[in-house]
Amino acid sequence: KYSGKFTASQIEANDFIQRFCKVGGFLFGKFDLKGDYSATGWKREQFLNSMSMSSLGAVQNGKLVTSGVVYDLLNSIASKIGQPFEKEQPLKALTSIIKVKDGKVIVDGLKTNLINIGDLQLGGYYGFDNQIGFDGTIQLTKELTAKLISKGGLLGGLAGLFSDKSSERLLVPLKVTGTWDKPNAEIDFSALTKSGTQTGKKNVGGLLDNLIKKK
């Protein structure tokens, strides 16, 4: 049996990720981590599956390097909001509560900025059985929100109806399900419409009807 507290300063994020996930090579940067843990077992698999950990992590300056399924996942999100996604993205001020429990790595309240897209907030889990389940939001930049409105279409119409008028930025709800090898990323339109005004909710029906007719 093992238990204790830990404080880690300026460790490489990718090295830490690879201790828990089957894949790595996508998040780089010096990582500060502080928390506690408990686990049992002699073998690595026993140790990981029995582990309970709660910690707070932060990367001040890092980069996201995407390829394969990771790139496909993030690019599919970006394409839905009309923005090309570069395979290498600088990250600023990434913070998250990180927990390990019941065979899952859980992130809670992850926040970071994706340059040229907006501010990302995310929560959910990666399971040691390869299952994933995340939901969150991207608050698009003013420029991208204006670009979507000018393009029209369903998302452009929603951008006009549901963007925060004080900041002129659209908050896009995201949902990611499936497995790490076959992720499914989508914009949660139901959550988007729930956040709108009563006038916006009435108008969104017409936008959705037009989308169905176009199909």
Side-chain angles (χ1 to χ4, degrees):
K1 294 183 178 182
Y2 305 84
S3 64
K5 298 181 180 294
F6 59 89
T7 300
S9 300
Q10 298 297 288
I11 61 173
E12 178 52 53
N14 184 60
D15 293 342
F16 175 79
I17 290 169
Q18 288 184 316
R19 295 177 184 274
F20 297 97
C21 303
K22 295 178 180 179
V23 294
F26 59 89
L27 178 62
F28 295 89
K30 295 300 182 180
F31 197 48
D32 293 334
L33 196 67
K34 182 177 182 180
D36 55 62
Y37 74 96
S38 63
T40 60
W42 291 102
K43 297 181 179 180
R44 180 179 183 277
E45 186 174 346
Q46 292 175 322
F47 186 92
L48 286 178
N49 285 317
S50 67
M51 176 176 281
S52 178
M53 183 181 81
S54 180
S55 59
L56 177 64
V59 178
Q60 292 305 315
N61 291 285
K63 64 179 180 179
L64 187 68
V65 179
T66 60
S67 63
V69 295
V70 177
Y71 174 76
D72 292 342
L73 174 63
L74 294 174
N75 189 53
S76 68
I77 295 172
S79 65
K80 287 180 174 68
I81 57 178
Q83 180 74 7
F85 188 83
E86 299 295 332
K87 289 192 173 183
E88 185 171 313
Q89 291 276 335
L91 295 176
K92 295 289 185 181
L94 185 152
T95 59
S96 179
I97 295 172
I98 303 170
K99 300 179 181 180
V100 179
K101 186 178 180 181
D102 300 328
K104 297 177 180 177
V105 179
I106 302 165
V107 296
D108 184 14
L110 184 150
K111 297 179 181 180
T112 191
N113 177 263
L114 296 173
I115 305 300
N116 298 327
I117 294 180
D119 298 312
L120 172 68
Q121 294 191 38
L122 196 67
Y125 69 90
Y126 163 83
F128 298 146
D129 60 358
N130 217 29
Q131 297 289 318
I132 56 174
F134 294 96
D135 55 57
T137 60
I138 294 181
Q139 187 172 30
L140 305 182
T141 63
K142 290 182 181 180
E143 295 76 13
L144 186 52
T145 300
K147 180 180 176 182
L148 285 174
I149 294 173
S150 67
K151 279 187 172 183
L154 175 63
L155 193 52
L158 291 174
L161 292 171
F162 297 105
S163 57
D164 182 342
K165 296 303 186 293
S166 62
S167 66
E168 301 176 337
R169 299 174 65 186
L170 174 64
L171 196 67
V172 179
L174 306 172
K175 183 179 292 185
V176 184
T177 56
T179 66
W180 186 262
D181 301 312
K182 293 183 179 181
N184 177 48
E186 60 184 358
I187 294 175
D188 188 356
F189 284 105
S190 63
L192 191 63
T193 57
K194 287 176 185 176
S195 66
T197 62
Q198 289 302 317
T199 302
K201 289 176 183 178
K202 291 179 182 178
N203 291 335
V204 77
L207 288 169
L208 293 171
D209 286 343
N210 289 335
L211 179 68
I212 293 171
K213 290 175 181 177
K214 288 179 181 179
K215 290 182 177 181

